[in-house]
Amino acid sequence: MLTVNVELADRSYPIFIGKELLEQPELLLPYIGKGKVLVVTNEVVAPLYLEKVQTALCSSGCDALVIPDGEQHKNLDTVIQIYDRLLAEKFDRSSTLIALGGGVVGDITGFAAATYQRGINFIQIPTTLLAQVDSSVGGKTGVNHPQGKNMIGAFYQPQCVLVDTSVLSTLPKREVKAGLAEVVKYGLINAADFFTWLEQHADGILQLDPELVSNVVKVCCEQKASIVAKDERESGVRALLNLGHTFGHAIETAMGYGTWLHGEAVAAGMVMAADLSMRMGWLDQSQALRIKSTLAKFGMPVAPPAAISTETYIDLMSSDKKAERGRIRFIVLRAIGEAFLQGDIDAEFVKQTLTAGDRLCLGDSA
Ligand SMILES: NC(=O)c1ccc[n+]([C@@H]2O[C@H](COP(=O)([O-])OP(=O)(O)OC[C@H]3O[C@@H](n4cnc5c(N)ncnc54)[C@H](O)[C@@H]3O)[C@@H](O)[C@H]2O)c1
């Protein structure tokens, strides 16, 4: 087992990473409060892993709430379902919520934990690759609003994160690939060597080779832990973790939540960010094309859906959380492994990127 620590003074916590960790309840017991425990999971994950978690963690029995599956349920109605159960069962401030599932379950449960009685204990057991490498770490919790992704939320750190890589064996391939978008993102932000390693081991990673997957999760958690430790509430460097997300969130919202997976939208969004960086003269075309081909190698979309108009993109991106007074800010690239935040981008270049379709990163001469 590997342990990565997120260093945040009195809110520091460990991430335990390894195979069959759901069988090791002793890892989690010190992080569970004295009061009642509610495991929140969804209708897909519950039949696979809920019993195992309940047996392992809660010898005296712990309650579970099974919510509907899907990004379209990441909203306040589902949060209210959790509050209703907590209140009906008289959960108090010494209680613990455990999120067992992907990023959707983690984000919703974390927000409920942050806001129920002004904050109760919270543990993450992420079961998708995306949640294991990204969403379960760092304390961003929240839900969507019909007008925008993740518009309602709170920063709230878990007591610990338990990553059992064995659970990825049941994850559909499309979800594995979507998770790999966030993995590639870390290489692009500030880990050029990791990006090269990913290019070299793409086949084995896609086959979920256990050694390779453990390394992927470890490196990503280390990267995220280090960025979060420097900037917990995203007033600086943490914004870089949103590479591809300004375009990606617009795609997810415009297509209807759940139509494009979050990771798929981020993958196309990163190719759009590379294209924009190239048009601005910051990124070499050869590097932009390398980003596009690596994402394609991992089976991810490398062009946005044709159905979204430029006006829709601009409208949605102007209300992105990184926008300042309506001015869109983008995470762009100087090179693979060198991302930066830029608010001063020529609108004409943005329009060219938005209309490039499957000619992204090829430039005007192609
Ligand atoms: N909080 C953050 O910092 C952060 C970062 C990145 C993404 N996110 C959010 O994460 C969400 C996406 O998360 P996701 O990609 O995990 O999607 P998800 O939670 O919808 O899970 C994907 C699918 O896999 C199923 N599933 C989960 N684990 C499984 C398993 N082991 N075996 C079989 N099926 C399984 C789920 O039921 C679902 O159908 C988005 O809402 C995104 O906004 C949050």
Side-chain angles (χ1 to χ4, degrees), residues 31 46 132 139 164 168 255 259 282 284-285 307:
Y31 302 93
Q132 296 189 345
D164 182 345
L168 298 179
M255 297 303 286
T259 310
W282 292 315
D284 279 356
Q285 187 181 37

Side-chain angles (χ1 to χ4, degrees), residues 11-160:
R11 280 162 296 104
S12 299
Y13 55 95
I15 307 165
F16 302 118
I17 304 166
K19 283 187 282 183
E20 311 293 346
L21 293 194
L22 288 186
E23 325 277 340
Q24 295 187 41
E26 64 279 7
L27 288 171
L28 285 191
L29 292 178
Y31 302 93
I32 293 179
K34 291 195 187 74
K36 295 183 176 193
V37 177
L38 179 71
V39 181
V40 180
T41 186
N42 73 21
E43 58 205 6
V44 172
V45 178
L48 296 168
Y49 302 111
L50 178 58
E51 196 183 330
K52 201 178 246 187
V53 169
Q54 282 182 305
T55 311
L57 293 181
C58 319
S59 48
S60 54
C62 58
D63 219 347
L65 176 67
V66 179
I67 60 176
D69 182 39
E71 181 76 31
Q72 63 277 28
H73 298 289
K74 186 174 144 178
N75 56 33
L76 285 172
D77 291 342
T78 310
V79 176
I80 288 170
Q81 272 188 50
I82 301 176
Y83 295 151
D84 287 348
R85 173 65 79 84
L86 295 172
L87 287 164
E89 305 286 334
K90 301 203 177 344
F91 275 65
D92 63 21
R93 296 190 74 185
S94 65
S95 314
T96 301
L97 281 185
I98 298 181
L100 172 69
V104 169
V105 168
D107 281 10
I108 298 171
T109 309
F111 184 64
T115 47
Y116 183 72
Q117 298 193 358
R118 300 199 180 87
I120 59 173
N121 273 0
F122 167 48
I123 289 173
Q124 290 264 23
I125 307 184
T127 61
T128 62
L129 181 61
L130 182 140
Q132 296 189 345
V133 298
D134 194 351
S135 64
S136 65
V137 175
K140 273 194 185 177
T141 72
V143 294
N144 302 326
H145 186 278
Q147 290 178 44
K149 268 282 288 180
N150 297 332
M151 281 294 161
I152 321 289
F155 285 99
Y156 195 66
Q157 302 295 341
Q159 260 63 44
C160 75

Side-chain angles (χ1 to χ4, degrees), residues 184 188 195 243-245 247 266-293 295 302 330-336 338-340 345 349 353 356 359-363:
V184 170
L188 293 179
F195 183 88
L243 175 65
H245 286 59
F247 294 112
V266 168
M270 289 193 292
V271 183
M272 295 167 88
D275 180 272
L276 183 59
S277 310
M278 186 189 85
R279 289 178 196 279
M280 292 296 291
W282 292 315
L283 183 70
D284 279 356
Q285 187 181 37
S286 60
Q287 295 223 0
L289 287 170
R290 198 173 144 208
I291 294 167
K292 187 175 176 180
S293 67
L295 288 164
V302 290
F330 293 94
I331 316 299
V332 280
L333 293 161
R334 213 170 270 123
I336 289 170
E338 266 187 71
F340 62 105
I345 291 194
F349 288 133
T353 293
R359 290 176 53 256
L360 281 169
C361 304
L362 292 172

Side-chain angles (χ1 to χ4, degrees), residues 243-274:
L243 175 65
H245 286 59
T246 305
F247 294 112
H249 282 167
I251 294 172
E252 277 188 273
T253 307
M255 297 303 286
Y257 297 128
T259 310
W260 270 54
L261 300 182
H262 176 75
E264 292 170 344
V266 168
M270 289 193 292
V271 183
M272 295 167 88

